[in-house]
Amino acid sequence: MSIDLQKTRNFGIVAHVDAGKTTTSERILFYTGMSHKIGEVHDGATVTDWMDQERERGITITAAAITCQWYKTGAEKTPENSTRFNIIDTPGHIDFTSEVKRSMRVLDGAVVVFDGVAGVEPQSETNWRYAEEASVPRLCFINKLDRTGASFERSYQSILNRLSKKACRLQIPIGEEDGHDGVVDVLEKKAFAFEGEMGIDVKEIDVPENLKADVDKYHDELVERIVEHDETMMEAFLEGNEPSLEDLKKTLRKAVIGNDIFPVLCGSALKNKGVQKVLDAVVDYLPSPLDLPPAKGTHPDTGDELERKADETEPFSALVFKLQTDPFVGQLSFFRVYSGKVTAGSYVYNVITGKKERVGRIVRLQADKREEVEEVSTGEIAAMVGMKEAKIGHTLCDQDNPIILEEMTFPEPVVSVRIEPKTKGDQEKMGIALAKLSDEDPTFKVSTDDETLETIISGMGELHLDIIVDRMKREFSVEADIGKPQVAYKETIKNESEAECKYVKQSGGRGQYGHVKIRLKPFPKPDADEDTPKNVTREEGYEFIDSIKGGVVPQEYIPAVRKGIKEAMERGIVAGYKMVDISAELYDGSYHDVDSSEVAFKIAGSQAFQDAAKRAKPVILEPIMKVEVNTPEQFMGDINGNISSKRGQVESMDDDGMGGKKISAKVPLSEMFGYTTTLRSMTEGRANAVMEFDHYAVVPQNVADEIKKMRGVPASAE
């Protein structure tokens, strides 16, 4: 059955942890008739947080996908008034940031939820940045205006100051804290109250007298902002004619889709105020799949740029953005269809693996429940059952019209722990469980320590790895012991240096001969729009420059030199950590007609790199975290002192809107393990902290000596 794309909205609900994102999603499900009772996060009874770990901890871990129908407030419930919503409720905790990033890739719009007391928080900034990168149009919803200390104006200013000057009030609240009774739409100059069971009845009421002046002022501001985006309207407006409400809404919609205006709405999801008007705004202002430019990709063989329009008649193309292991049906592969359609039982071509796979069944998701469908077409989000080879970021398409849609990139893990099965029986099961979990989550990596042969798991934080181990136990019945968390240190060089290596081996018969001269220097990150020269190969954190003239090293041996250097970078010079941000230039060398081989040049490249790196002032890098602590004022001195003792730097101290203080600091990750417990004991359990990865920085010499000692390297070794 084909759907009306004009009446389809694919959007996500994103926010900092605890801003009320899942509560908002639950209200949406209730008001759209998907669930007949509202689940609450604090009761552990929500639909979208369906994993045991989510319900126990009261946080969202995986993005949940929901399909539902919405009829605008006051509209008759007829098919022509219905809009189909495909909604993704994403996690807010920084450890599960990859869920947000990959969801942004397949969404057409987002509702960004803010806490009406705290305003913009660290994860709000990260999510906003992901939305900017993916050019996703956004609505802002300032939630929790019923809480003590809530302030719409302060939260709105924090959006303007920390996220975007393009934000603009579309609504203002009627009252705050205990007196929060509804919202006023400043564009329409209408006020609304939410009555009846769970606020289901939206009643238009008179604008309160004390707000009329504000409403007029903000209405004029908004109209001015809107008419800037239409020349004809602007001219009429300057002549004193205000455009009609219908024209204003049309132009505002265009501006929102173009990321020129971010409308700000308000309410309280928990107290059932304002959510229906947010859904109306999604219909009015967020894009349908038809409003967006065609999906871009490349031809797998020629590399030519290709486009796919949002049209059922175009060749099929879809992107896999999430994998989930289901105990009843096996692996679910979530995908977004960009063009064409796919039916259950047909075959699709996976461009990345070069293999065809049969689509067993297709299911549309209502969080943990699923509805089986025969066909999914352009603009829809659904999941396939039984895909064996598909991984996150893979493109599925029609084999006769292949295309590779833009791939996804994810942050590197910053914390590692050693893990071992409790019994011999768990050994094999653990391998299978870890493989499945790393397929599901691109920021979770599994590796083996070459020296000890122990299994090492790496992720975005302690909570991330805790959840992984917990899931292994519950979903795969694997008991495992884990070691202490280890920081993902890296190494780099500070200076330039050169080295030469002549690898010659003579042992009867054909010998080995490889001779290279290389130059190393620190590699600054190139600009995103900078073209890479033809003689340069760039990978993450590594640049190789081929400056060979006159064939002194034959062309066929140059990739071997590059590979030798790359492999040597995996084992650092100072303490054996992976080396990054290095530019290596091969500028001279020689070869032997008979004895030269790829192996000889690979070894020569590796040894030359090690010699040069030792002379280029190698250093250890450590991850630095951005930490934000909310605390009552009397504990500020203790917290600041504690941060300083952890080699941290306090960057700012502001009021948090609740009579307390918000401390922002940058602290090395190695000092932050177990910080939550320390903070609780220091502040009688009244302070809380959130942290996220910020950047890598050089470790001080005394810390570098400690790290070397831990790795069994003599402190004097450079």
Side-chain angles (χ1 to χ4, degrees), residues 220 223-243 248:
D220 293 345
V223 170
E224 271 183 46
R225 289 285 295 278
I226 293 170
V227 298
E228 283 173 11
H229 299 282
D230 186 297
E231 273 186 41
T232 317
M233 242 187 213
M234 184 74 164
E235 283 169 22
F237 180 73
L238 291 172
E239 285 164 14
N241 305 317
E242 183 168 311
L248 284 169

Side-chain angles (χ1 to χ4, degrees), residues 76-138:
E76 203 183 325
K77 293 197 172 179
T78 59
E80 52 273 15
N81 287 335
S82 134
T83 304
R84 178 198 288 258
F85 286 168
N86 293 313
I87 308 170
I88 294 184
D89 173 35
T90 62
H93 197 288
I94 183 60
D95 284 12
F96 309 105
T97 185
S98 77
E99 288 277 345
V100 183
K101 189 156 190 183
R102 65 180 116 145
S103 300
M104 285 292 182
R105 176 66 179 77
V106 296
L107 293 173
D108 300 336
V111 174
V112 187
V113 182
F114 299 92
D115 183 320
V117 179
V120 173
E121 296 173 90
Q123 191 60 18
S124 323
E125 295 184 77
T126 304
N127 292 339
W128 194 271
R129 193 170 67 245
Y130 289 157
E132 283 285 309
E133 285 170 11
S135 298
V136 172
R138 277 144 277 171

